Amino acid sequence: MRDDRPGRQATAPVGPGTLLVAAPNLTDPNFSRTVVYLVEHREHGSLGVVLNRPSEASVRDVLPRWAPLASGPGSVFVGGPVDGTTALCLASLRPGQRADGIEGVVAVNGPVVLVDLDSEPAAVEPRVRGLRVFAGYSGWDSGQLAGEIARGDWFVVPGLPDDVTTERHADLWGRVLRRQGAPLALLSTFPVEIGLN
């Protein structure tokens, strides 16, 4: 049976660099109205970080060496409900820069890289145009994410490098939906308390 609810048929391939945009009916408080950037997607599972949940903690207080490179608002973001004591860092490289040859950096997708926070900020600084630190991450076991997508919990859409470090994170959920065009763009106007059935 075909599912014709808005957006169910408008998905991109799942992989590093794609975004999982929470459907309005996803009411889990960890993921309601979130945008998750997928860092890894393999047969054994998937890992990503929530891009639009700043915490009260500042990068300056937690990782002062990295604070000058942190994108506004300079907060540590809540990457997800898994292992909140683990810090992950994503950065967006400047045009013309490549991940290979930069110590402590691993390519994710295009100009987006994973940064080893034990490396030297001075080696990374001239090559990035911004970075974001996340406490914890979002993780799915083998088959779990596919099941949630099939159930309609997530819209899978292409990510942009600027999504990772945007200072306009407050309305990222709505902005990502709006740039997809109809019918997904229409969902960006749904009030928080209304879901799809």
Side-chain angles (χ1 to χ4, degrees):
M1 185 160 135
R2 190 173 148 188
D3 187 347
D4 288 326
R5 290 179 288 174
R8 294 305 190 265
Q9 68 282 7
T11 59
V14 179
T18 54
L19 300 177
L20 302 176
V21 182
N25 63 328
L26 182 57
T27 57
D28 177 333
N30 293 306
F31 295 113
S32 178
R33 298 278 169 134
T34 60
V35 177
V36 176
Y37 183 88
L38 277 182
V39 175
E40 183 176 285
H41 179 68
R42 297 184 183 182
E43 190 176 311
H44 67 274
S46 304
L47 179 142
V49 289
V50 175
L51 296 179
N52 57 336
R53 290 271 167 95
S55 75
E56 297 293 319
S58 74
V59 176
R60 186 167 310 287
D61 292 339
V62 179
L63 295 162
R65 295 183 321 135
W66 291 97
L69 302 179
S71 299
S75 298
V76 173
F77 277 58
V78 178
V82 181
D83 198 3
T85 60
T86 296
L88 296 174
C89 179
L90 290 177
S92 186
L93 296 175
R94 293 182 186 278
Q97 295 293 320
R98 294 175 44 103
D100 37 325
I102 307 174
E103 192 170 331
V105 168
V106 176
V108 175
N109 186 50
V112 177
V113 295
L114 193 60
V115 177
D116 179 355
L117 292 168
D118 290 329
S119 63
E120 283 303 317
V124 176
E125 181 174 15
R127 297 181 166 174
V128 300
R129 56 188 168 109
L131 62 79
R132 177 132 301 140
V133 175
F134 301 90
Y137 60 92
S138 303
W140 294 266
D141 288 331
S142 178
Q144 184 181 6
L145 180 57
E148 291 180 13
I149 292 168
R151 190 171 60 218
D153 292 346
W154 301 102
F155 302 118
V156 183
V157 301
L160 300 176
D162 288 342
D163 294 332
V164 173
T165 56
T166 183
E167 295 186 15
R168 296 176 53 210
H169 56 82
D171 185 35
L172 185 61
W173 184 83
R175 284 189 298 114
V176 169
L177 285 173
R178 283 190 293 278
R179 74 181 186 223
Q180 305 311 310
L184 287 182
L186 299 174
L187 298 178
S188 69
T189 63
F190 273 53
V192 173
E193 55 286 339
I194 295 178
L196 295 175
N197 296 316

